[in-house]
Amino acid sequence: MAYPEPFEEVCGERKRGIQITVVTIVVLATLFVGGFFWAFTRERVLSQEELQANGALLFETARKLPAFSLANDKGEAVDATWFEGQWDIVFFGFTFCPDVCPTTLALLKQYYEQLTPEQRADTRIVLASVDPARDTVSQLSQYLSFFHEDFRGVTGEFLDVHRFATGLGAPFNKVPGGGENYLVDHSGNVALINPNGHFVGILKAPISVEQINRVMPTFRALR
């Protein structure tokens, strides 16, 4: 049965209208679902209260590093500029430490190995010695090799080490007695230095892999 030409035109326009409506609905639904998925899976920025509840302190204003002259585990000279270009997670300890230091470095290794290659390229784990008398460059190098080949260490003259540690909120003191096997009393906190080479916050001891995973996205986003 042949329909008049105007009727066929009306049907064609109606069909195209339906197709456009369906396509529009599909596109909008896709955008909605994609936006919901992105919002659900993206790292959420924590508030100051949430950071504190997770044992982290984010300074309101980033702090410049104090002047110092140290050496790293490769024997290279280190000053404040060495801490530019990546996130540095700095733990103050010493290679003769019997418990806290190896435990903390093992946790930092676990965290570091969970990172993507891109995140690793932007993250450096640093052991800053609080026992410069015994922690020579070679001693640091040998010690850190037990944990991860990417881990770096810094040491130097006592006054420079003390200035650096104090500037990052990690004072230390030699425990009296003990002879050659003396211990060093030091903080278990971890200092965070942003890619601009500024001290931006602290992870309070005792640290955990879960704690670092929860708070680091906020530090990266805000600093």
Side-chain angles (χ1 to χ4, degrees):
M1 176 178 175
Y3 293 102
E5 186 174 337
F7 182 83
E8 293 181 350
E9 291 179 357
V10 169
C11 290
E13 290 177 359
R14 181 176 298 175
K15 184 177 180 181
R16 285 193 296 272
I18 293 173
Q19 290 174 336
I20 292 172
T21 301
V22 170
V23 170
T24 302
I25 292 173
V26 171
V27 170
L28 290 175
T30 301
L31 291 174
F32 176 79
V33 172
F36 177 81
F37 181 78
W38 176 83
F40 182 78
T41 58
R42 72 185 178 92
E43 299 286 2
R44 188 171 65 85
V45 174
L46 304 179
S47 67
Q48 280 285 7
E49 291 74 19
E50 289 173 318
L51 286 172
Q52 292 176 11
N54 284 282
L57 174 62
L58 172 65
F59 303 143
E60 290 186 7
T61 304
R63 306 175 184 180
K64 290 185 178 181
L65 299 182
F68 59 85
S69 178
L70 301 173
N72 65 20
D73 57 296
K74 296 181 178 296
E76 301 165 335
V78 168
D79 59 17
T81 61
W82 189 72
F83 289 94
E84 297 175 359
Q86 67 286 310
W87 278 91
D88 284 297
I89 299 177
V90 184
F91 174 66
F92 289 86
F94 61 112
T95 63
F96 290 87
C97 178
D99 40 37
V100 175
C101 301
T103 299
T104 301
L105 287 170
L107 288 171
L108 291 173
K109 174 185 178 180
Q110 186 178 349
Y111 164 74
Y112 185 75
E113 290 183 337
Q114 290 179 359
L115 299 177
T116 65
E118 293 77 13
Q119 290 171 329
R120 285 193 190 185
D122 190 42
T123 305
R124 185 169 60 186
I125 308 297
V126 179
L127 171 63
S129 175
V130 296
D131 184 19
R134 292 182 297 186
D135 286 345
T136 62
V137 167
S138 59
Q139 175 69 16
L140 271 180
S141 178
Q142 182 179 3
Y143 182 75
L144 290 170
S145 67
F146 289 113
F147 295 96
H148 201 284
E149 61 181 4
D150 291 344
F151 285 13
R152 299 273 67 85
V154 292
T155 187
E157 297 296 327
F158 176 82
L159 290 179
D160 279 310
V161 169
H162 191 271
R163 186 181 301 111
F164 179 62
T166 302
L168 269 68
F172 61 91
N173 292 288
K174 179 180 176 181
V175 177
E180 294 182 355
N181 297 318
Y182 64 86
L183 298 176
V184 180
D185 185 19
H186 63 92
S187 170
N189 294 343
V190 170
L192 300 177
I193 301 176
N194 71 10
N196 293 323
H198 293 158
F199 178 33
V200 296
I202 292 173
L203 303 181
K204 298 179 181 179
I207 68 167
S208 68
V209 175
E210 293 74 21
Q211 172 202 29
I212 306 173
N213 281 327
R214 282 194 296 267
V215 304
M216 276 306 296
T218 296
F219 277 90
R220 291 179 183 274
L222 300 179
R223 289 289 185 267

mmCIF file of all heavy atoms in Angstrom, residues 43-75:
data_model
loop_
_atom_site.group_PDB
_atom_site.id
_atom_site.type_symbol
_atom_site.label_atom_id
_atom_site.label_comp_id
_atom_site.label_asym_id
_atom_site.label_seq_id
_atom_site.Cartn_x
_atom_site.Cartn_y
_atom_site.Cartn_z
ATOM 1 N N GLU A 43 41.272 9.646 44.241
ATOM 2 C CA GLU A 43 41.773 9.854 45.589
ATOM 3 C C GLU A 43 41.106 11.092 46.182
ATOM 4 O O GLU A 43 41.113 12.153 45.586
ATOM 5 C CB GLU A 43 43.296 10.018 45.560
ATOM 6 C CG GLU A 43 44.056 8.821 45.007
ATOM 7 C CD GLU A 43 44.090 7.657 45.975
ATOM 8 O OE1 GLU A 43 43.485 7.757 47.066
ATOM 9 O OE2 GLU A 43 44.721 6.637 45.647
ATOM 10 N N ARG A 44 40.564 10.941 47.389
ATOM 11 C CA ARG A 44 39.880 12.049 48.026
ATOM 12 C C ARG A 44 40.858 12.870 48.856
ATOM 13 O O ARG A 44 41.704 12.324 49.556
ATOM 14 C CB ARG A 44 38.754 11.519 48.916
ATOM 15 C CG ARG A 44 37.852 12.594 49.490
ATOM 16 C CD ARG A 44 36.645 11.966 50.158
ATOM 17 N NE ARG A 44 37.030 11.176 51.319
ATOM 18 C CZ ARG A 44 37.202 11.706 52.537
ATOM 19 N NH1 ARG A 44 37.043 13.001 52.739
ATOM 20 N NH2 ARG A 44 37.530 10.934 53.546
ATOM 21 N N VAL A 45 40.741 14.194 48.769
ATOM 22 C CA VAL A 45 41.580 15.081 49.569
ATOM 23 C C VAL A 45 41.027 15.116 50.988
ATOM 24 O O VAL A 45 39.844 15.398 51.205
ATOM 25 C CB VAL A 45 41.611 16.503 48.966
ATOM 26 C CG1 VAL A 45 42.355 17.454 49.892
ATOM 27 C CG2 VAL A 45 42.264 16.470 47.593
ATOM 28 N N LEU A 46 41.877 14.821 51.967
ATOM 29 C CA LEU A 46 41.463 14.775 53.360
ATOM 30 C C LEU A 46 41.518 16.163 53.984
ATOM 31 O O LEU A 46 42.331 17.005 53.607
ATOM 32 C CB LEU A 46 42.367 13.822 54.151
ATOM 33 C CG LEU A 46 42.480 12.379 53.644
ATOM 34 C CD1 LEU A 46 43.434 11.589 54.531
ATOM 35 C CD2 LEU A 46 41.121 11.706 53.587
ATOM 36 N N SER A 47 40.664 16.390 54.955
ATOM 37 C CA SER A 47 40.683 17.640 55.713
ATOM 38 C C SER A 47 41.827 17.586 56.729
ATOM 39 O O SER A 47 42.416 16.520 56.981
ATOM 40 C CB SER A 47 39.356 17.836 56.435
ATOM 41 O OG SER A 47 39.188 16.841 57.444
ATOM 42 N N GLN A 48 42.122 18.733 57.349
ATOM 43 C CA GLN A 48 43.162 18.762 58.383
ATOM 44 C C GLN A 48 42.804 17.809 59.522
ATOM 45 O O GLN A 48 43.675 17.126 60.060
ATOM 46 C CB GLN A 48 43.330 20.186 58.921
ATOM 47 C CG GLN A 48 44.165 21.105 58.047
ATOM 48 C CD GLN A 48 45.665 20.793 58.134
ATOM 49 O OE1 GLN A 48 46.080 19.801 58.742
ATOM 50 N NE2 GLN A 48 46.474 21.636 57.522
ATOM 51 N N GLU A 49 41.528 17.770 59.884
ATOM 52 C CA GLU A 49 41.101 16.884 60.968
ATOM 53 C C GLU A 49 41.302 15.416 60.588
ATOM 54 O O GLU A 49 41.739 14.611 61.411
ATOM 55 C CB GLU A 49 39.624 17.140 61.305
ATOM 56 C CG GLU A 49 39.328 18.483 61.949
ATOM 57 C CD GLU A 49 39.412 19.643 60.977
ATOM 58 O OE1 GLU A 49 39.344 19.407 59.742
ATOM 59 O OE2 GLU A 49 39.546 20.797 61.435
ATOM 60 N N GLU A 50 40.994 15.086 59.348
ATOM 61 C CA GLU A 50 41.174 13.707 58.890
ATOM 62 C C GLU A 50 42.652 13.345 58.809
ATOM 63 O O GLU A 50 43.043 12.213 59.129
ATOM 64 C CB GLU A 50 40.497 13.524 57.533
ATOM 65 C CG GLU A 50 38.975 13.543 57.602
ATOM 66 C CD GLU A 50 38.330 13.528 56.233
ATOM 67 O OE1 GLU A 50 38.821 14.253 55.336
ATOM 68 O OE2 GLU A 50 37.345 12.800 56.054
ATOM 69 N N LEU A 51 43.483 14.299 58.377
ATOM 70 C CA LEU A 51 44.922 14.055 58.355
ATOM 71 C C LEU A 51 45.439 13.782 59.764
ATOM 72 O O LEU A 51 46.207 12.839 59.991
ATOM 73 C CB LEU A 51 45.656 15.255 57.744
ATOM 74 C CG LEU A 51 45.545 15.446 56.230
ATOM 75 C CD1 LEU A 51 46.167 16.768 55.817
ATOM 76 C CD2 LEU A 51 46.210 14.297 55.479
ATOM 77 N N GLN A 52 45.016 14.604 60.715
ATOM 78 C CA GLN A 52 45.454 14.424 62.099
ATOM 79 C C GLN A 52 44.997 13.084 62.657
ATOM 80 O O GLN A 52 45.738 12.419 63.385
ATOM 81 C CB GLN A 52 44.939 15.569 62.962
ATOM 82 C CG GLN A 52 45.579 16.919 62.644
ATOM 83 C CD GLN A 52 44.972 18.058 63.445
ATOM 84 O OE1 GLN A 52 44.204 17.832 64.384
ATOM 85 N NE2 GLN A 52 45.305 19.285 63.078
ATOM 86 N N ALA A 53 43.786 12.692 62.303
ATOM 87 C CA ALA A 53 43.271 11.397 62.752
ATOM 88 C C ALA A 53 44.081 10.244 62.181
ATOM 89 O O ALA A 53 44.111 9.148 62.763
ATOM 90 C CB ALA A 53 41.800 11.252 62.350
ATOM 91 N N ASN A 54 44.744 10.493 61.060
ATOM 92 C CA ASN A 54 45.595 9.482 60.430
ATOM 93 C C ASN A 54 47.073 9.708 60.743
ATOM 94 O O ASN A 54 47.947 9.186 60.049
ATOM 95 C CB ASN A 54 45.374 9.484 58.917
ATOM 96 C CG ASN A 54 44.075 8.807 58.524
ATOM 97 O OD1 ASN A 54 43.980 7.582 58.507
ATOM 98 N ND2 ASN A 54 43.057 9.590 58.219
ATOM 99 N N GLY A 55 47.356 10.488 61.780
ATOM 100 C CA GLY A 55 48.733 10.665 62.226
ATOM 101 C C GLY A 55 49.588 11.497 61.305
ATOM 102 O O GLY A 55 50.802 11.285 61.220
ATOM 103 N N ALA A 56 48.981 12.464 60.601
ATOM 104 C CA ALA A 56 49.741 13.311 59.679
ATOM 105 C C ALA A 56 49.509 14.783 59.996
ATOM 106 O O ALA A 56 48.432 15.182 60.423
ATOM 107 C CB ALA A 56 49.337 13.025 58.237
ATOM 108 N N LEU A 57 50.535 15.575 59.784
ATOM 109 C CA LEU A 57 50.451 17.016 59.988
ATOM 110 C C LEU A 57 50.876 17.718 58.710
ATOM 111 O O LEU A 57 51.999 17.531 58.230
ATOM 112 C CB LEU A 57 51.366 17.443 61.145
ATOM 113 C CG LEU A 57 51.498 18.945 61.403
ATOM 114 C CD1 LEU A 57 50.151 19.541 61.775
ATOM 115 C CD2 LEU A 57 52.525 19.216 62.495
ATOM 116 N N LEU A 58 49.976 18.500 58.133
ATOM 117 C CA LEU A 58 50.260 19.294 56.937
ATOM 118 C C LEU A 58 50.376 20.752 57.354
ATOM 119 O O LEU A 58 49.429 21.335 57.882
ATOM 120 C CB LEU A 58 49.132 19.130 55.912
ATOM 121 C CG LEU A 58 49.174 20.031 54.678
ATOM 122 C CD1 LEU A 58 50.399 19.719 53.813
ATOM 123 C CD2 LEU A 58 47.896 19.870 53.850
ATOM 124 N N PHE A 59 51.545 21.343 57.142
ATOM 125 C CA PHE A 59 51.748 22.731 57.531
ATOM 126 C C PHE A 59 50.892 23.671 56.684
ATOM 127 O O PHE A 59 50.708 23.432 55.479
ATOM 128 C CB PHE A 59 53.219 23.117 57.384
ATOM 129 C CG PHE A 59 54.173 22.249 58.165
ATOM 130 C CD1 PHE A 59 55.413 21.912 57.638
ATOM 131 C CD2 PHE A 59 53.826 21.752 59.411
ATOM 132 C CE1 PHE A 59 56.293 21.115 58.344
ATOM 133 C CE2 PHE A 59 54.698 20.940 60.129
ATOM 134 C CZ PHE A 59 55.935 20.622 59.591
ATOM 135 N N GLU A 60 50.425 24.748 57.295
ATOM 136 C CA GLU A 60 49.670 25.737 56.528
ATOM 137 C C GLU A 60 50.557 26.408 55.487
ATOM 138 O O GLU A 60 50.109 26.747 54.398
ATOM 139 C CB GLU A 60 49.084 26.788 57.478
ATOM 140 C CG GLU A 60 47.963 26.257 58.367
ATOM 141 C CD GLU A 60 47.320 27.359 59.179
ATOM 142 O OE1 GLU A 60 47.662 28.548 58.953
ATOM 143 O OE2 GLU A 60 46.474 27.042 60.038
ATOM 144 N N THR A 61 51.826 26.601 55.851
ATOM 145 C CA THR A 61 52.786 27.208 54.930
ATOM 146 C C THR A 61 54.009 26.298 54.809
ATOM 147 O O THR A 61 54.570 25.877 55.829
ATOM 148 C CB THR A 61 53.239 28.593 55.429
ATOM 149 O OG1 THR A 61 52.090 29.418 55.611
ATOM 150 C CG2 THR A 61 54.183 29.250 54.434
ATOM 151 N N ALA A 62 54.400 25.984 53.586
ATOM 152 C CA ALA A 62 55.594 25.156 53.376
ATOM 153 C C ALA A 62 56.834 25.870 53.907
ATOM 154 O O ALA A 62 56.941 27.098 53.834
ATOM 155 C CB ALA A 62 55.755 24.852 51.892
ATOM 156 N N ARG A 63 57.783 25.107 54.458
ATOM 157 C CA ARG A 63 58.958 25.677 55.093
ATOM 158 C C ARG A 63 60.223 25.391 54.287
ATOM 159 O O ARG A 63 60.420 24.272 53.812
ATOM 160 C CB ARG A 63 59.103 25.108 56.503
ATOM 161 C CG ARG A 63 57.847 25.282 57.357
ATOM 162 C CD ARG A 63 57.987 24.608 58.708
ATOM 163 N NE ARG A 63 56.742 24.710 59.475
ATOM 164 C CZ ARG A 63 56.577 24.212 60.704
ATOM 165 N NH1 ARG A 63 57.592 23.569 61.285
ATOM 166 N NH2 ARG A 63 55.417 24.362 61.324
ATOM 167 N N LYS A 64 61.067 26.397 54.166
ATOM 168 C CA LYS A 64 62.344 26.206 53.486
ATOM 169 C C LYS A 64 63.268 25.372 54.361
ATOM 170 O O LYS A 64 63.214 25.435 55.593
ATOM 171 C CB LYS A 64 62.988 27.551 53.174
ATOM 172 C CG LYS A 64 62.267 28.345 52.101
ATOM 173 C CD LYS A 64 63.052 29.617 51.766
ATOM 174 C CE LYS A 64 62.370 30.390 50.649
ATOM 175 N NZ LYS A 64 63.130 31.617 50.288
ATOM 176 N N LEU A 65 64.130 24.608 53.726
ATOM 177 C CA LEU A 65 65.093 23.804 54.472
ATOM 178 C C LEU A 65 66.203 24.692 55.017
ATOM 179 O O LEU A 65 66.553 25.703 54.402
ATOM 180 C CB LEU A 65 65.687 22.720 53.574
ATOM 181 C CG LEU A 65 64.711 21.696 52.982
ATOM 182 C CD1 LEU A 65 65.485 20.674 52.148
ATOM 183 C CD2 LEU A 65 63.914 20.998 54.066
ATOM 184 N N PRO A 66 66.783 24.315 56.156
ATOM 185 C CA PRO A 66 67.912 25.080 56.680
ATOM 186 C C PRO A 66 69.148 24.886 55.815
ATOM 187 O O PRO A 66 69.219 23.940 55.014
ATOM 188 C CB PRO A 66 68.116 24.481 58.074
ATOM 189 C CG PRO A 66 67.623 23.068 57.933
ATOM 190 C CD PRO A 66 66.455 23.152 57.001
ATOM 191 N N ALA A 67 70.114 25.771 55.961
ATOM 192 C CA ALA A 67 71.376 25.627 55.220
ATOM 193 C C ALA A 67 72.179 24.467 55.807
ATOM 194 O O ALA A 67 72.314 24.350 57.022
ATOM 195 C CB ALA A 67 72.163 26.917 55.280
ATOM 196 N N PHE A 68 72.702 23.614 54.960
ATOM 197 C CA PHE A 68 73.491 22.474 55.422
ATOM 198 C C PHE A 68 74.363 21.976 54.283
ATOM 199 O O PHE A 68 74.133 22.292 53.107
ATOM 200 C CB PHE A 68 72.601 21.341 55.936
ATOM 201 C CG PHE A 68 71.638 20.817 54.905
ATOM 202 C CD1 PHE A 68 72.014 19.839 53.997
ATOM 203 C CD2 PHE A 68 70.341 21.311 54.837
ATOM 204 C CE1 PHE A 68 71.136 19.373 53.044
ATOM 205 C CE2 PHE A 68 69.447 20.846 53.878
ATOM 206 C CZ PHE A 68 69.842 19.875 52.987
ATOM 207 N N SER A 69 75.342 21.166 54.634
ATOM 208 C CA SER A 69 76.208 20.537 53.644
ATOM 209 C C SER A 69 76.450 19.098 54.087
ATOM 210 O O SER A 69 77.138 18.852 55.082
ATOM 211 C CB SER A 69 77.535 21.288 53.520
ATOM 212 O OG SER A 69 78.382 20.646 52.584
ATOM 213 N N LEU A 70 75.856 18.161 53.369
ATOM 214 C CA LEU A 70 75.943 16.752 53.725
ATOM 215 C C LEU A 70 76.513 15.954 52.557
ATOM 216 O O LEU A 70 76.906 16.515 51.532
ATOM 217 C CB LEU A 70 74.555 16.216 54.097
ATOM 218 C CG LEU A 70 73.836 16.909 55.260
ATOM 219 C CD1 LEU A 70 72.402 16.385 55.399
ATOM 220 C CD2 LEU A 70 74.600 16.707 56.565
ATOM 221 N N ALA A 71 76.561 14.646 52.727
ATOM 222 C CA ALA A 71 76.979 13.747 51.645
ATOM 223 C C ALA A 71 75.978 12.602 51.587
ATOM 224 O O ALA A 71 75.462 12.164 52.625
ATOM 225 C CB ALA A 71 78.381 13.217 51.898
ATOM 226 N N ASN A 72 75.682 12.131 50.386
ATOM 227 C CA ASN A 72 74.761 10.997 50.294
ATOM 228 C C ASN A 72 75.526 9.680 50.277
ATOM 229 O O ASN A 72 76.756 9.647 50.375
ATOM 230 C CB ASN A 72 73.842 11.136 49.078
ATOM 231 C CG ASN A 72 74.582 11.084 47.751
ATOM 232 O OD1 ASN A 72 75.712 10.593 47.656
ATOM 233 N ND2 ASN A 72 73.955 11.588 46.697
ATOM 234 N N ASP A 73 74.794 8.586 50.151
ATOM 235 C CA ASP A 73 75.391 7.255 50.231
ATOM 236 C C ASP A 73 76.267 6.922 49.028
ATOM 237 O O ASP A 73 76.940 5.892 49.014
ATOM 238 C CB ASP A 73 74.299 6.191 50.378
ATOM 239 C CG ASP A 73 73.294 6.254 49.248
ATOM 240 O OD1 ASP A 73 72.601 7.285 49.130
ATOM 241 O OD2 ASP A 73 73.216 5.282 48.469
ATOM 242 N N LYS A 74 76.269 7.793 48.030
ATOM 243 C CA LYS A 74 77.148 7.616 46.873
ATOM 244 C C LYS A 74 78.383 8.506 46.966
ATOM 245 O O LYS A 74 79.200 8.547 46.034
ATOM 246 C CB LYS A 74 76.382 7.911 45.582
ATOM 247 C CG LYS A 74 75.230 6.956 45.311
ATOM 248 C CD LYS A 74 74.537 7.295 44.005
ATOM 249 C CE LYS A 74 73.406 6.323 43.703
ATOM 250 N NZ LYS A 74 73.875 4.937 43.487
ATOM 251 N N GLY A 75 78.482 9.246 48.055
ATOM 252 C CA GLY A 75 79.621 10.135 48.241
ATOM 253 C C GLY A 75 79.468 11.484 47.561
ATOM 254 O O GLY A 75 80.425 12.250 47.480
#
